[in-house]
Amino acid sequence: MKTIDSGFIFLLVSLFSLSISSSVINPKYGRSTSFMPRFPSSSMVAEPEQQLSVSSTKKQLYRTKYFTQILDHFNYNPHSYQTFQQRYLINDTFWGGTENEKIKNAPIFVYTGNEGDIEWFTQNTGFMFETAPHFKALLVFIEHRFYGKSIPFGGDKEIAYSNATTLGYLSSTQALADYATLIIDLKKNLSAIDSPVVLFGGSYGGMLAAWFRLKYPHVAIGALASSAPILNFENITSPYSFNNIITQDFRNESENCYKVIKGSWQHIEDTADKPGGLELLRKSFKICKNYISAGSLAGWLYTAYVYTAMTDYPTPSNFLSPLPAYPVKQMCKAIDDRNVNGNDIFAKLYGAANVYYNSSGTATCFDLDDDSDPHGLGEWSWQACTEMIMATSGNNKESMFPASKYDYNDRATFCKSMFDIEPRPNWITTQFGGHDIKRVLKRFASNIIFFNGLRDPWSGGGVLKNISSSIIAIVAEEGAHHVDLRYSSREDPKWLQDVRKSEVKIIENWISQYYYDLGT
């Protein structure tokens, strides 16, 4: 991947994830620069078992299948008829089938795959597995084209990712058409034509679930769109919202914690500019000896704060990185504890960073030059350069990050350099809507649940109020990024248990109404 400047570090603010756009904290210039993101690895040298790995989880959750998918659903030139193998995962353990004694046409729950390996998302979507027995549902998880093992052009990534000619087939509209085609074919093969389909998705996958329901209402009867920032386009949501929410997460935990982080960027810059300053920073943060700069160190810290805020779950997690319960609180605890770090600002920041990067305590050093992509999210850069123009990098004076203005031209310049293309910032709202969403969707849409946790920085672009009696917004003040889709735990707070119960009840009503209309 090309870089704009050696002082910049590429970060992904997602997903999982939606990871849509990001910014680089560059203390030297006191601003944030929009750019094309990539997924940050653990960025540390540690024992192998500490590295996140798809292969380390239980494969018995699903069986892997492939569907012969058409390359281009919207044109009829010769290239359009090329095909590729699209991976999907299936679990029929609890499925009632089509002719069960108690229920006919048992439902099919479909996860609309995100911008990465479908196994990773499947293994972090326990809600579907836990509710399948109750609904006697078939579970299907479909991988997004150009990610994981669903690679067009013979599965050859070098060809598929080579240039705009091949990457041009990577888009949300093509992906939705993939899902519709696969679902319809699967239902025919299973003799389940009348089985209702309910969609599930989190982050970008949640956006796809909501958009699918709007575009293909004849294929799916409803959608649970968790942490889906469908309003984060074309000036609908402020570019300051994302980082403002992160700032508020930390400030709510501790005013001192907020102030220390806010003042740290200048301190890092000042130290780096002094003779021997970079070596002092290297030693203070245990950075590996291969590479260090003030900008890369600041970006490394920024990544930890952003992802910790996104996954500020009430129970321990292992989604982006192994984290304790309420990791923002743990970060601020490390910063505020004078008995451990005294007045050493770098020691405080190092302690906070360890919450995200080194929960096991086994890291020997942290690699700022690590460009690995453990979950195959790299091609999001193409989508973020074409249609997914989501402004998130603005910082006002109260932000814990350096004050900056969002500048679309930064994104456009990078995309021109990276792919020799011009972004289309208005396409998503043209294709799926977003402006005056309550007025518009109230007229024709139905059966969508929008869940948002207000600790999640992406919630600023989410649907936070009911649109109609069947387009429901569930908002959790203490919730983080698609926390409702995670596996449940005995330690889950009551509010989270209530969220899941509400979602189950709404889906029950959708399915009951479908059966009533079907006459079964």
Side-chain angles (χ1 to χ4, degrees), residues 403-461:
S404 65
K405 291 184 178 180
Y406 170 75
D407 189 346
Y408 165 75
N409 292 325
D410 289 338
R411 172 75 64 90
T413 298
F414 178 83
C415 295
K416 184 67 175 177
S417 172
M418 183 74 174
F419 300 108
D420 194 26
I421 58 173
E422 296 288 338
R424 296 179 183 175
N426 304 329
W427 174 243
I428 288 296
T429 55
T430 300
Q431 176 72 1
F432 302 114
H435 294 287
D436 298 321
I437 190 169
K438 184 173 184 178
R439 178 177 59 84
V440 173
L441 295 190
K442 192 174 183 179
R443 296 204 303 264
F444 73 90
S446 65
N447 291 8
I448 304 175
I449 302 169
F450 290 103
F451 169 81
N452 280 282
L454 297 185
R455 288 185 179 178
D456 176 16
W458 289 112
S459 65

Side-chain angles (χ1 to χ4, degrees), residues 9 40 44 53 72 101 108 150 167 205 212 283-284 287 333 398 405 411 417:
I9 179 175
M44 67 183 183
S53 172
D72 184 0
E101 290 183 1
I108 300 173
S150 300
L167 282 169
F212 189 103
K283 181 178 180 181
S284 297
I287 304 302
K333 182 178 179 181
E398 292 298 310
K405 291 184 178 180
R411 172 75 64 90
S417 172

Side-chain angles (χ1 to χ4, degrees), residues 34 46 96 101 186 196 278 341 372 400 482 512:
S34 299
E101 290 183 1
L186 180 65
L278 287 178
N341 298 320
S372 59
M400 67 186 222
H482 51 65
S512 295

Side-chain angles (χ1 to χ4, degrees), residues 225-272:
S226 181
S227 299
I230 63 169
L231 304 181
N232 219 136
F233 296 92
E234 202 182 348
N235 301 319
I236 300 173
T237 299
S238 168
Y240 297 92
S241 171
F242 190 90
N243 287 332
N244 281 350
I245 293 174
I246 296 171
T247 296
Q248 201 60 45
D249 288 346
F250 281 84
R251 198 169 192 176
N252 285 343
E253 290 297 337
S254 163
E255 183 71 14
N256 177 69
C257 177
Y258 155 74
K259 288 181 177 178
V260 168
I261 296 173
K262 183 175 177 61
S264 67
W265 312 109
Q266 187 65 48
H267 190 44
I268 290 173
E269 177 190 347
D270 291 344
T271 301

Side-chain angles (χ1 to χ4, degrees), residues 38-297:
R38 67 168 180 167
F39 185 75
S41 72
S42 58
S43 297
M44 67 183 183
V45 179
E47 296 300 319
E49 61 268 20
Q50 290 304 121
Q51 307 295 328
L52 293 177
S53 172
V54 168
S55 62
S56 65
T57 54
K58 297 180 180 179
K59 291 293 187 66
Q60 60 266 32
L61 287 174
Y62 46 77
R63 290 179 289 115
T64 301
K65 291 182 174 291
Y66 288 87
F67 176 73
T68 301
Q69 188 64 262
I70 192 170
L71 178 63
D72 184 0
H73 296 281
F74 306 109
N75 289 289
Y76 295 89
N77 59 53
H79 291 293
S80 298
Y81 291 92
Q82 293 184 33
T83 60
F84 67 97
Q85 295 302 298
Q86 183 170 26
R87 180 169 58 161
Y88 66 100
L89 312 178
I90 191 166
N91 181 306
D92 59 2
T93 304
F94 304 104
W95 193 37
T98 56
E99 293 295 336
N100 186 279
E101 290 183 1
K102 295 184 178 181
I103 183 172
K104 292 183 179 181
N105 306 311
I108 300 173
F109 288 176
V110 175
Y111 187 91
T112 49
N114 301 51
E115 70 287 15
D117 191 306
I118 190 59
E119 291 192 89
W120 178 45
F121 294 107
T122 301
Q123 294 156 5
N124 285 281
T125 310
F127 180 72
M128 290 177 65
F129 289 95
E130 292 176 346
T131 57
H134 173 75
F135 288 98
K136 298 187 183 302
L138 174 71
L139 302 182
V140 182
F141 300 81
I142 309 177
E143 190 162 65
H144 196 296
R145 59 169 53 203
F146 282 83
Y147 293 101
K149 294 184 178 179
S150 300
I151 310 298
F153 303 100
D156 190 328
K157 291 185 177 181
E158 288 191 10
I159 296 176
Y161 300 165
S162 60
N163 55 53
T165 300
T166 53
L167 282 169
Y169 296 102
L170 169 54
S171 70
S172 59
T173 50
Q174 293 281 7
L176 292 177
D178 287 342
Y179 300 157
T181 303
L182 193 156
I183 291 169
I184 291 171
D185 187 83
L186 180 65
K187 291 180 70 175
K188 288 180 180 178
N189 290 337
L190 294 175
S191 299
I193 298 299
D194 289 329
S195 289
V197 173
V198 178
L199 304 170
F200 297 76
S203 199
Y204 173 51
M207 297 162 72
L208 292 172
W211 290 337
F212 189 103
R213 171 60 185 162
L214 298 179
K215 291 295 182 180
Y216 298 95
H218 57 291
V219 179
I221 68 166
L224 169 53
S226 181
S227 299
I230 63 169
L231 304 181
N232 219 136
F233 296 92
E234 202 182 348
N235 301 319
I236 300 173
T237 299
S238 168
Y240 297 92
S241 171
F242 190 90
N243 287 332
N244 281 350
I245 293 174
I246 296 171
T247 296
Q248 201 60 45
D249 288 346
F250 281 84
R251 198 169 192 176
N252 285 343
E253 290 297 337
S254 163
E255 183 71 14
N256 177 69
C257 177
Y258 155 74
K259 288 181 177 178
V260 168
I261 296 173
K262 183 175 177 61
S264 67
W265 312 109
Q266 187 65 48
H267 190 44
I268 290 173
E269 177 190 347
D270 291 344
T271 301
D273 287 342
K274 295 177 181 178
L278 287 178
E279 284 307 309
L280 174 59
L281 291 173
R282 185 193 301 280
K283 181 178 180 181
S284 297
F285 291 95
K286 295 186 178 180
I287 304 302
C288 301
K289 293 185 177 181
N290 60 327
Y291 174 74
I292 188 172
S293 71
S296 63
L297 176 61

